[in-house]
Amino acid sequence: MVPNALDDSTRKQYLADDPPTIVPLAIKQQFEALNDKEKKYAHYISRAAFSGTRVNLRQVSVESEAIYDFIVTLHKGCDGDWKKLASRAGLSDEDLKHFLSYAAQFLGNTGNYKSFGDSKFVPRIPAEKVAALAGTSLEVQSLYDRFKNDLYESSSIARMHLGYPDQGHVSTYYPDSPDITQDEIETVARFLNDRKLMPENTRLRKTKGGDYEVLIASAVTEPKMRDTEEMSWTLENGKKLRLVYGDYQKEMAEIASNIAEAKKYALNDEEAKMHSEYYKSFHDGSMLSHMDSQRHWIRDKGPMVECNIGFIETYRDPHGIRGEWEGFVAMINKERTKAFSKLVESAPEQIPKLPWGEEFEKNTFLAPDFTSLEVLSFAGSGIPAGINIPNYDDIRQNEGFKNVSLGNVLSAAAPKEPTPFIRDEDQAVYDRYRDESFEVQVGLHELLGHGCGKLLQETEPGKYNFDHENPPLSPITKKPITTYYKPGETWGSVFGGMGPSYEECRAESVAMSLCPDYGILKIFGFGNGEEDIDGVAGDVMYVCYLSMARAGIAALQYWDPNSRKWGQPHMQARFAILQVFLETPSAFCSLHSTAPDLSDLTIHLDRHKIATHGRPAINAFLQKLQIYKATADFEAGKKLYEAYTNVNEWYATKLRPQVLAQSKPRKVFVQANTFLKGDGGVGLREYEASAEGMVQSFVDRDYI
């Protein structure tokens, strides 16, 4: 432990939630409805997903894996009798509570940095008490010695946050490379992009001699199938760059083995082909195979057991190109899927309502599968409410994508209590329609937000997917567009680290643009399609806007005043949308407070002005987001987005302290485990929603 690295007031911001909000991911009813083959299929995918847990841990911080082993080994040593262990180590009941709260939050985030915010959290239990726990056996003492200097606050505030190493932050996507610069990361990224080598399943290491190694996740060090035959190059600066296979070797072998077993129980030909490509991707480290797996995945419409797995989202890589390990398996909720299917059917009618012309929209809307799922297993650092994948531009633009809404994640309930920044007179309608409005928001965000919009591209030298001789007029400048994606460029390579948050903002803005549509609200089961701002549909619409405004305030928790850096892409996006609301004239949205410390601050949003003021303001903002993205105009997009996500002194020094003071712990989910029974069937074990239940669920995954 580094003593006194932070002052007391700053340190409080990084203390673990005590207690965290622990909720069960209920799935028994849906799992038991599966037949034996479907259960076996789900079982092996679940094991494949969770077999990547150590990959997640190593992607968070150097110390995370040892902390994980410390928690699990302590449990095994006392056979889950924590009070007996506490007594032996001389811990009070309060000490034990603090330790278990930390353990639950750690396991719920698969590491010691928050999955939502990327900031470190530290135990409330005194260091000497953790040392006392370590002293209960030689094995746990050995583990403790590996992380004891990194368990509490870091040597600087910058290291309390994930980010670029050259800014003093932590990132294990660049292992053993404390002096690697952003320019070096970008140089290597562009070099690999020019050779069509995808970075999602890689890490980048700078050697002591100043050369570079691209570490590729694979079960073997010399794969037979590679995405390139070349293994090393000399860069323009004279430095060497070489590919090194076998990163996460043991874990990738276990993952590939379980994928091979899952394939035996595939429910159709597309699933069998998908798992063949998954196997090649994880065994041999081929991202091209992973792309092919996603082609089969989007063709597998409405499966009874849905899944996806791989290095998927790039939020936590500060450069925004390397993926975090993620895998899920879930069962379809047929009743809720009906509403989403109707939304998909109506999409060609809804997209033209967005604020850009057909020149900036895909020629044909590639109708995706859109299902409501009940999650059995979700491996990764956190569980989202909805997913829109694959993220590969070529597939999304030309072949399609899938949307899923995770129903039992949305409905997992925490105790109801007054919500910060919501007026007393709004609390009842907010409580009544919070979950329903969020489902509307997620549906529109995932399907139409991420699913709409065209990228104007020179697809290969001299070939364009738009009229290059007579380029379309920008609705912003009223002049012909002058920028577009060049051959080999992608959305991610052009917009870089800003891209993920910018895209989330675009998708959230689409949801805000379309949720005031009474026809869309009717599809979700609210109202009869006729305008009625004071009816049920109006209530849902109002709570959609009110929730977004509240999220924009709550976002300040995920902004670091020292680095002036946002730690969570979605929350940065929501802060931008709040600014759009607040700058809208005629008192559409305002923040009211009478207390000097803003402790009574509330949101005043006029529901009767959503159609006349709120929606037009969002449309004007959304139009810019879309046009700049479509035309690869990074400079204009950066200027816009930085302006709307800039945190001024009032927000930083006045409102943010209140946000921290009134913040509620984020939910962490206790997930079930499947296991093979003696009769060859598959059983399910659920756990109580407690810190002890959370630890037990991980201990029972003895294959990790």
Side-chain angles (χ1 to χ4, degrees), residues 11-152:
R11 187 172 186 272
K12 286 180 182 178
Q13 300 173 23
Y14 299 98
L15 291 174
D17 296 331
D18 201 352
T21 301
I22 303 172
V23 295
L25 205 57
I27 194 61
K28 184 175 182 179
Q29 180 180 347
Q30 291 79 12
F31 183 78
E32 296 298 343
L34 300 179
N35 64 35
D36 288 345
K37 185 177 183 181
E38 291 166 341
K39 287 179 180 178
K40 282 271 183 72
Y41 183 61
H43 166 73
Y44 284 110
I45 299 167
S46 174
R47 284 181 69 100
F50 281 127
S51 291
T53 297
R54 291 185 183 274
V55 177
N56 286 124
L57 292 164
R58 290 177 211 152
Q59 287 181 319
V60 174
S61 69
V62 171
E63 65 271 14
S64 281
E65 190 172 11
I67 297 172
Y68 174 86
D69 287 331
F70 181 78
I71 294 167
V72 170
T73 304
L74 278 174
H75 179 282
K76 290 178 179 178
C78 68
D79 198 24
D81 189 342
W82 289 101
K83 290 194 174 181
K84 180 179 177 181
L85 178 67
S87 176
R88 191 166 44 154
L91 269 64
S92 68
D93 289 347
E94 185 76 1
D95 293 332
L96 178 61
K97 172 176 167 290
H98 288 328
F99 177 76
L100 287 174
S101 290
Y102 176 79
Q105 188 172 356
F106 177 93
L107 295 172
N109 287 271
T110 323
N112 62 338
Y113 285 71
K114 292 179 181 178
S115 64
F116 206 81
D118 289 347
S119 61
K120 190 174 182 178
F121 55 94
V122 302
R124 293 173 184 261
I125 180 175
E128 61 270 20
K129 299 295 185 179
V130 181
L133 285 171
T136 57
S137 83
L138 292 175
E139 185 178 5
V140 291
Q141 182 67 54
S142 175
L143 290 166
Y144 176 68
D145 289 342
R146 288 169 51 192
F147 67 77
K148 63 183 180 182
N149 291 326
D150 298 300
L151 182 62
Y152 290 88

Side-chain angles (χ1 to χ4, degrees), residues 342-353 364-367 448:
K342 291 178 182 176
L343 185 63
V344 171
E345 291 169 8
S346 75
E349 303 169 27
Q350 313 302 347
I351 289 175
K353 298 173 183 176
T364 304
F365 178 73
L366 301 168
L448 299 176

